[in-house]
Amino acid sequence: MKNLVYLIFVGTILLIASCSSTPKEFSMEEFSTMDEREVTGEVFSPDLIIGTGIDGLDVVNGCLLLPYVNDYGYGAPFQFVDESSEVQTSQAGNFGGGPGELTCSFYAGKTEDGLRIYSFDFTKQQVIEFKSEKNRMDYEFSAEYRIRLSEDGYIQKVIRLANGKFVGMLWGGREQLFVLFDEELNEIKRFGEHPVPGMTGPLNDFNIFQGFLLTYGNTLLYCTKNFGYITRYDFSDDDEVIQSWKHHLSKPAVEADGGNMRIHGHENLDGFCGIATDGRYIYTTYSGVYTLAFREVDLYANVPRHILVFDWDGHLLSKCKVKEPSADLALSEDGKILYVYTYGEEEICITRYNTGDLL
């Protein structure tokens, strides 16, 4: 009898463990059948001149952070705009080829206290750290860490976790899409499913899976630009990775061939262009327009005109229609304001929405 009870107990534990490692997958009908509603926002800091080349908006200690990829004539890689006064207060970093300088820069996150911010230099394959010494908006170069992979691959984006480790997304790789790094950018392990299965070549072309990475605590959110795919990964203290859930908002119209993939542009629907979260709700901009629309309609045809809201467990809560093409997102620290990088009729701007209107 004791043996029977023991076997039942062990079997139950194994069943729970197997279920917890299997991500919940949502039905595509959840999106297609949901009613949409129009929402309006207001221009944030109307006199602010904003250029192209921004990647990964964020809010740091009461300031909207504008991270620029390259020097397009708009100054430093990081520019800060005070949320209250709507005035640009400071900037950080320099573009260039010297130590601590950036050539092709992608925002790589911040510490939880906001006193350190990070940038990934794609060209140098380095992460650059900037530290605030004197006050919360005065950032100076602090350190740089070179990517160290244990096998083939090239990193296209990096994002920091709350525990000080980093997650990198591979440009070219083998079976898995992501790399977990330690605090000094040494590879720990690889993980992550392909958004679209079937790529079996020895060196897969992961460029097709370009998308957006966001961390909250020790959780990674990832959504793709080419497909309506979004997922969540959680990290334990001993570096175990669990995929909690995943969504396909539309069926990918693609053809896999070894290490490459061909998109059927008149059938495949484009996906996401931005993501933000406060750990309760996940906000995204979503396209849902067929991939080749920009060639036949207009330049901005594929840029999202929807803001979607998910809960932390992946359930789609609302589908909101916006007037202007909208891309990157950032959320205020109290979760009440959503900032959206917007392609307006006359110029690029930041549009501000009350999140209460989106829920």
Side-chain angles (χ1 to χ4, degrees):
M1 183 65 182
K2 289 183 178 179
N3 289 337
L4 178 60
V5 172
Y6 175 76
L7 289 173
I8 292 173
F9 173 76
V10 172
T12 302
I13 295 299
L14 291 174
L15 178 61
I16 292 172
S18 64
C19 290
S20 64
S21 63
T22 302
K24 180 177 181 180
E25 189 164 7
F26 293 86
S27 169
M28 288 183 286
E29 284 73 19
E30 182 182 16
F31 175 76
S32 60
T33 59
M34 177 175 283
D35 293 334
E36 68 178 34
R37 52 194 173 87
E38 293 187 3
V39 295
T40 57
E42 60 180 8
V43 175
F44 170 74
S45 188
D47 297 329
L48 182 68
I49 299 176
I50 302 173
T52 58
I54 288 179
D55 182 89
L57 295 179
D58 202 355
V59 172
V60 181
N61 294 318
C63 284
L64 180 65
L65 172 60
L66 306 177
Y68 282 87
V69 176
N70 288 298
D71 183 4
Y72 291 105
Y74 292 93
F78 297 115
Q79 299 182 29
F80 300 87
V81 184
D82 185 82
E83 288 186 280
S84 299
S85 66
E86 303 187 16
V87 174
Q88 183 170 333
T89 59
S90 60
Q91 58 187 26
N94 293 289
F95 287 108
E101 295 181 333
L102 299 162
T103 54
C104 184
S105 168
F106 294 93
Y107 180 57
K110 63 187 178 185
T111 55
E112 290 190 304
D113 61 10
L115 295 180
R116 288 178 173 83
I117 57 177
Y118 299 87
S119 184
F120 170 61
D121 192 305
F122 175 80
T123 305
K124 297 179 180 179
Q125 291 285 283
Q126 289 181 335
V127 170
I128 313 297
E129 178 187 270
F130 297 88
K131 182 180 179 181
S132 177
E133 294 282 3
K134 299 177 182 178
N135 58 63
R136 289 179 175 268
M137 285 296 104
D138 182 16
Y139 290 89
E140 297 179 355
F141 166 68
S142 175
E144 59 186 11
Y145 306 95
R146 185 162 186 83
I147 296 288
R148 293 183 177 89
L149 296 172
S150 59
E151 56 181 286
D152 291 340
Y154 201 78
I155 298 297
Q156 61 172 297
K157 281 194 175 181
V158 171
I159 192 75
R160 185 185 188 274
L161 295 165
N163 60 15
K165 297 174 183 178
F166 292 84
V167 175
M169 184 177 179
L170 287 161
W171 183 273
R174 297 183 185 275
E175 292 81 11
Q176 295 173 302
L177 190 57
F178 300 108
V179 180
L180 178 64
F181 294 99
D182 66 15
E183 293 86 344
E184 295 185 348
L185 277 298
N186 300 295
E187 179 176 334
I188 297 175
K189 63 190 299 184
R190 300 193 178 193
F191 69 95
E193 69 168 16
H194 298 182
V196 180
M199 296 177 70
T200 58
L203 190 62
N204 290 320
D205 178 11
F206 285 173
N207 184 38
I208 201 86
F209 297 141
Q210 284 188 67
F212 301 86
L213 307 181
L214 178 70
T215 56
Y216 184 85
N218 293 323
T219 291
L220 171 71
L221 298 170
Y222 162 60
C223 54
T224 59
K225 184 183 298 184
N226 292 316
F227 320 105
Y229 175 85
I230 180 172
T231 189
R232 169 185 152 190
Y233 291 96
D234 299 312
F235 299 84
S236 69
D237 293 339
D238 58 358
D239 299 328
E240 180 185 5
V241 185
I242 297 176
Q243 187 179 24
S244 298
W245 52 263
K246 58 182 177 179
H247 256 300
H248 265 116
L249 298 186
S250 61
K251 184 178 180 180
V254 299
E255 182 179 348
D257 179 18
N260 297 292
M261 184 175 290
R262 290 185 291 273
I263 298 177
H264 300 296
H266 287 291
E267 302 173 21
N268 187 76
L269 301 184
D270 276 356
F272 300 93
C273 275
I275 185 169
T277 187
D278 60 358
R280 299 175 302 162
Y281 303 108
I282 300 166
Y283 302 86
T284 66
T285 49
Y286 177 71
S287 174
V289 176
Y290 70 90
T291 301
L292 293 180
F294 76 97
R295 294 184 182 178
E296 302 175 4
V297 182
D298 63 65
L299 183 62
Y300 297 127
N302 298 67
V303 182
R305 286 177 170 84
H306 284 95
I307 296 176
L308 308 183
V309 185
F310 301 85
D311 69 14
W312 192 240
D313 294 320
H315 301 96
L316 182 60
L317 302 179
S318 66
K319 179 168 63 172
C320 301
K321 179 76 172 180
V322 296
K323 180 181 179 182
E324 303 290 352
S326 302
D328 275 329
L329 303 174
L331 196 62
S332 63
E333 291 169 344
D334 61 8
K336 295 181 179 180
I337 301 296
L338 185 70
Y339 298 96
V340 183
Y341 182 67
T342 302
Y343 296 85
E345 293 181 357
E346 298 181 358
E347 61 183 358
I348 296 172
C349 64
I350 301 295
T351 303
R352 177 171 52 193
Y353 295 89
N354 292 317
T355 55
D357 296 335
L358 303 171
L359 296 171

